[in-house]
Amino acid sequence: MRRTASDGLKIVIIGGFAVGKTTMVRSVSEIRPLNTEETMTTASVGVDSTAGVGAKTTTTVAFDFGRITLNERMVLYLFGAPGQERFWFIWDQLFSGCLGAVVLVDSRRIADCWYAIDRLEEQRTPFVVARNNFGVPKHGLEQVRDALDLPDEVPMLDCDARDRESSKEVLVRLVEHLHEMSLARGL
């Protein structure tokens, strides 16, 4: 971190298994991201469902970490959460002290992000939902919103986690959402 940076802002990227959390952190971080991605072994057979994720051979086992300098005083820290149920115990620690979260959704496997949204709502952590596009989306944005039972005030947008500009747009929309919420509360 630069010597002049005095404020660190924490954002968590969360969602189901193989939705693109590690990819998003990698695409947007200004530093070489720290990741805890490991090769999947036969020990995960019957524990982790790989249905609908193609030929995925690695998985995050703790979290991913990246950084973006916003200005000379402010730095944004990105934490990508692991997606499998067996690692959900880490989530509450990742939520501690965060400003908000990005929920990544694969429209082919919408149900995989319900738990993430439930946890964020329970923790009262503001969030946006980004449909990570894997080819032609199976469901439109409004269909995804309806399936997740999201209120209108939760921003929902498209993204391509592989693309730096697209990932930045998601983070910008989250910051705008946080700003709108603070204005509404008169802060």
Side-chain angles (χ1 to χ4, degrees), residues 36-113:
T36 58
E37 206 165 45
E38 294 295 333
T39 301
M40 295 174 65
T41 66
T42 56
S44 69
V45 174
V47 176
D48 298 327
S49 172
T50 56
V53 297
K56 185 158 176 66
T57 60
T58 61
T59 188
T60 300
V61 296
F63 61 88
D64 301 305
F65 173 78
R67 184 185 79 197
I68 302 170
T69 301
L70 300 176
N71 60 39
E72 62 185 37
R73 292 267 184 227
M74 295 175 65
V75 177
L76 183 67
Y77 296 113
L78 304 171
F79 290 82
Q84 296 103 306
E85 185 175 346
R86 65 187 163 123
F87 298 121
W88 288 351
F89 69 93
I90 296 170
W91 289 9
D92 289 341
Q93 281 72 38
L94 289 177
F95 295 156
S96 178
C98 81
L99 287 177
V102 172
V103 177
L104 276 182
V105 177
D106 179 346
S107 68
R108 301 169 301 181
R109 298 177 291 118
I110 294 172
D112 289 359
C113 71

Side-chain angles (χ1 to χ4, degrees), residues 3 17 24 27 46 53-54 82 84 88 92 96 100-101 106 111 116 122 126 136 139 141 150 153 156 165 185-186:
R3 292 179 189 257
F17 175 59
M24 180 176 268
S27 75
V53 297
Q84 296 103 306
W88 288 351
D92 289 341
S96 178
D106 179 346
E122 186 175 307
V136 177
H139 304 287
L141 286 178
L150 290 176
E153 59 270 9
M156 175 131 206
E165 290 304 312
R185 289 191 303 248

Side-chain angles (χ1 to χ4, degrees), residues 117-138:
I117 291 171
D118 287 346
R119 293 300 304 141
L120 290 167
E121 289 176 341
E122 186 175 307
Q123 296 275 337
R124 297 183 183 195
T125 302
F127 63 94
V128 299
V129 175
R131 179 182 65 181
N132 191 11
N133 290 323
F134 294 92
V136 177
K138 185 174 180 179

